[in-house]
Amino acid sequence: MKGFWTGVAAVAAAVVGTADAASYDDIPPIEIYGQHFFYTNNGSQFYLKGVAYQQNYSPNGTTDSNASYTDPLADGAGCKRDLPYLKQIFTNVLRVYAIDPKQNHDECMEAFAAAHIYVIADLGEPKTSIVSDDPEWNVPLYQRYTSVVDALSKYKNVIGFFAGNENVSSGNQTAAAAFVKAAVRDTKGYIQSQKYRSSMGVGYATADVPTRDDLATYFACEPGNSGNATQIDFWGYNVYSWCGDSNYADSSYGERYDFFHDYPVPVFFAEYGCIEGVSGGATHRPFTEVAVLYGNMTEVFSGGIVYQWFMSENNYGLVELTDNDASVSPYPDFTSLRSELASVRPTTTARSAYSPSNSAPACPTTGSSWLPVASPLPPAVNPKLCACMASNLQCNIASTDDSKYEDVFNYICAAADGKYCKGIQHNATTGAFGALSGCSAKDQLAWVANEYYVGNKKSASACDFSGVATTQAAATASGCGNLLAAISDGTGSVPSPTDKGTAAVGTETGAASGSKSKGAAGSVSPPGFVAYGGLLGAAYAGLAAVSMAGMLVL
């Protein structure tokens, strides 16, 4: 059997080598127009025939400070090893879930471009992502996201990015959608401000959850006069309802087709390939859904991405790596997928003959099953603003030990009915957001510590907290005056950032900038009461007072 696959690989390699070669500089970018994707060179429609391409990584709205990942686009040898097999199953898109912006991706992206393979990249990573149960959109996240955009923007075979993946899995997590939508807005704004290729889109991928319809409507709606600045550019749907030899009705594919028929942006399966109840086991998926996805669903759906390439503990892999990862050994469902994809002939529409007519839907109404208000979204994240603010304080945070922050947050935010913490509140359910709510945890704590210090007549003991805070000479760095004036008392309007990279003046700005401070880590966040904008009640105040005993004497 191994000899057979070796022969097939050789034939595939020869085919790839004689194909009309393209580099990542001259491959035609894919653009989004209305509900479809199109090649920019000839206006023909583009359908995704993709594979999820990352080992041992499952992004799902959580973070793990101890997690690591392998960048699949930085492994030139691995990309070239897999390429002949990827072409056997007609791959034209890879979805990667986490890349390392500091690595070089030229070799893989050049090889994929030559094989006419495009990439959609998720923007988070295991240590830095929007957390479902305690969501924020802040400087460490912004710097992670924009660093991925910076690293991949030069490759014309990058279609775009996912700002989130399955961040909402249950009804009590829908508030997280507001922070992901703010991330969409700011990432789109960053691409525009840096004059990167305008065809790169920013989308979201959802699990097949009860709130999926509200989620799709929310991310596509355009509240107020926001236009498409806050609207996703494409919608990814992780669908596992077609298992084994299912059908259009039993899998609910028809319901999804009907719901998205009038959707204003492209929709595709960002993951598919159920392994449940498959005759012969997980590695024998028949992929009978392929004929439907690329058949009668093409008026609405732009194809899909099979989950996944590499075999791992979850048993979804199409191939196994052998010979110390030097060789590829396909599973039976690889052959099934190849056979099914070889048979599809999706109907295409030329861009010149297509006039988009679908408009943005109305935003969902806030209620028991949908928590976030449509507007306002969390404020723009502006690293320079946070840096300017931290330098301008009279009481700042000296400690980088984030394990000490929560007690200080609790104590200060319980004082004076929470007035010191209004500048950092972020409540997606009421739309109450402080102007500093997008700063890092360390800088947010610096703001509230300074408010407390000033509110207590600048007593020396009011800026200590057992060495966590210290007084400093306030300084207004060059270019900070207008930014600081805009935020006023912490409740003003945050200007959108225009600078590339991180802030120019000193602050703890997050792991994405290369800081080694624990206080800058992407996993750091204020406690839940701050994240959702609530203020501590009497019970919490009592607890805080006990926990801070001996810590502060006024």
Side-chain angles (χ1 to χ4, degrees):
M1 190 68 176
K2 183 176 178 181
F4 167 77
W5 284 114
T6 302
V8 171
V11 172
V15 171
V16 171
T18 58
D20 181 21
S23 73
Y24 59 70
D25 286 321
D26 60 27
I27 189 173
I30 303 301
E31 68 172 340
I32 297 161
Y33 184 55
Q35 204 175 12
H36 303 305
F37 293 100
F38 295 93
Y39 287 97
T40 54
N41 62 334
N42 58 19
S44 60
Q45 190 174 352
F46 178 85
Y47 286 101
L48 286 77
K49 297 177 181 177
V51 180
Y53 190 70
Q54 190 126 17
Q55 288 179 279
N56 302 316
Y57 182 55
S58 299
N60 58 359
T62 62
T63 61
D64 183 351
S65 60
N66 296 315
S68 61
Y69 65 95
T70 300
D71 182 346
L73 300 183
D75 180 7
C79 293
K80 292 177 180 178
R81 172 201 62 211
D82 298 331
L83 184 53
Y85 295 91
L86 290 167
K87 293 306 294 181
Q88 285 185 50
I89 54 173
F90 306 94
T91 303
N92 64 7
V93 171
L94 297 175
R95 180 182 179 183
V96 297
Y97 293 92
I99 67 117
D100 182 350
K102 298 183 290 296
Q103 298 295 318
N104 185 287
H105 305 100
D106 288 355
E107 190 173 4
C108 282
M109 296 303 288
E110 188 75 16
F112 291 142
H116 303 281
I117 293 176
Y118 294 80
V119 168
I120 297 176
D122 288 56
L123 292 169
E125 56 97 4
K127 297 179 182 178
T128 315
S129 61
I130 296 172
V131 180
S132 301
D133 293 322
D134 192 11
E136 291 188 78
W137 172 237
N138 56 27
V139 167
L141 285 163
Y142 176 85
Q143 291 177 329
R144 162 66 196 183
Y145 280 34
T146 56
S147 67
V148 172
V149 173
D150 289 339
L152 297 182
S153 62
K154 73 175 182 178
Y155 304 115
K156 291 185 178 179
N157 54 332
V158 171
I159 294 174
F161 310 94
F162 281 122
N165 182 75
E166 300 186 3
N167 297 89
V168 177
S169 297
S170 61
N172 63 357
Q173 294 176 336
T174 57
F179 299 89
V180 180
K181 190 166 183 176
V184 170
R185 175 202 62 207
D186 288 357
T187 305
K188 290 177 64 168
Y190 184 76
I191 291 171
Q192 183 177 19
S193 73
Q194 301 308 309
K195 296 180 172 56
Y196 289 147
R197 177 166 45 85
S198 61
S199 59
M200 290 191 300
V202 183
Y204 176 74
T206 182
D208 195 15
V209 294
T211 56
R212 63 179 184 254
D213 291 353
D214 280 339
L215 279 166
T217 301
Y218 177 77
F219 277 96
C221 74
E222 302 172 352
N225 61 354
S226 63
N228 69 354
T230 67
Q231 183 188 64
I232 41 101
D233 295 314
F234 50 76
W235 185 252
Y237 203 175
N238 301 340
V239 181
Y240 294 91
S241 61
W242 187 302
C243 301
D245 292 312
S246 187
N247 57 61
Y248 191 69
D250 291 346
S251 65
S252 300
Y253 273 27
E255 294 178 16
R256 295 173 176 90
Y257 177 92
D258 292 341
F259 177 83
F260 286 105
H261 189 272
D262 298 322
Y263 207 61
V265 300
V267 181
F268 57 91
F269 286 0
E271 293 177 4
Y272 75 95
C274 174
I275 63 173
E276 302 298 326
V278 174
S279 178
T283 60
H284 289 72
R285 289 175 289 182
F287 284 112
T288 48
E289 67 266 48
V290 166
V292 173
L293 180 58
Y294 295 95
N296 59 320
M297 295 182 71
T298 54
E299 183 183 352
V300 175
F301 283 84
S302 295
I305 297 172
V306 173
Y307 191 83
Q308 61 180 339
W309 183 249
F310 301 100
M311 179 54 75
S312 63
E313 293 180 359
N314 62 22
N315 288 325
Y316 278 91
L318 291 169
V319 304
E320 181 182 4
L321 299 184
T322 59
D323 300 330
N324 294 319
D325 293 351
S327 302
V328 174
S329 178
Y331 287 103
D333 55 358
F334 176 98
T335 304
S336 299
L337 180 61
R338 181 180 62 186
S339 176
E340 292 290 335
L341 287 169
S343 301
V344 300
R345 299 291 185 273
T347 302
T348 60
T349 300
R351 189 186 190 282
S352 59
Y354 171 62
S355 298
S357 58
N358 297 343
S359 57
C363 297
T365 302
T366 301
S368 58
S369 61
W370 184 256
L371 299 176
V373 295
S375 182
L377 291 175
V381 170
N382 191 322
K384 186 172 183 179
L385 167 66
C386 296
C388 289
M389 176 274 294
S391 293
N392 193 245
L393 301 178
Q394 299 173 67
C395 176
N396 206 336
I397 299 303
S399 173
T400 58
D401 183 356
D402 54 71
S403 67
K404 298 179 179 179
Y405 292 175
E406 184 170 354
D407 281 343
V408 184
F409 270 121
N410 285 347
Y411 184 85
I412 297 175
C413 291
D417 295 325
K419 72 174 183 178
Y420 300 127
C421 290
K422 290 182 179 179
I424 66 168
Q425 64 179 326
H426 32 297
N427 189 328
T429 301
T430 64
F433 297 102
L436 287 314
S437 61
C439 296
S440 68
K442 183 173 185 289
D443 285 349
Q444 287 187 46
L445 184 56
W447 170 265
V448 301
N450 187 75
E451 290 287 284
Y452 184 88
Y453 175 66
V454 173
N456 283 278
K457 300 179 180 180
K458 301 181 183 180
S459 166
S461 59
C463 182
D464 182 32
F465 305 101
S466 293
V468 173
T470 187
T471 57
Q472 68 176 25
T476 303
S478 175
C480 288
N482 290 337
L483 290 173
L484 294 172
I487 64 169
S488 182
D489 60 350
T491 59
S493 178
V494 179
S496 295
T498 57
D499 296 340
K500 182 174 182 177
T502 58
V505 290
T507 187
E508 296 296 335
T509 51
S513 67
S515 170
K516 298 185 184 303
S517 164
K518 290 180 67 177
S523 61
V524 174
S525 62
F529 75 86
V530 175
Y532 289 98
L535 299 175
L536 293 180
Y540 282 102
L543 175 62
V546 171
S547 68
M548 293 291 288
M551 198 172 192
L552 177 68
V553 178
L554 292 179

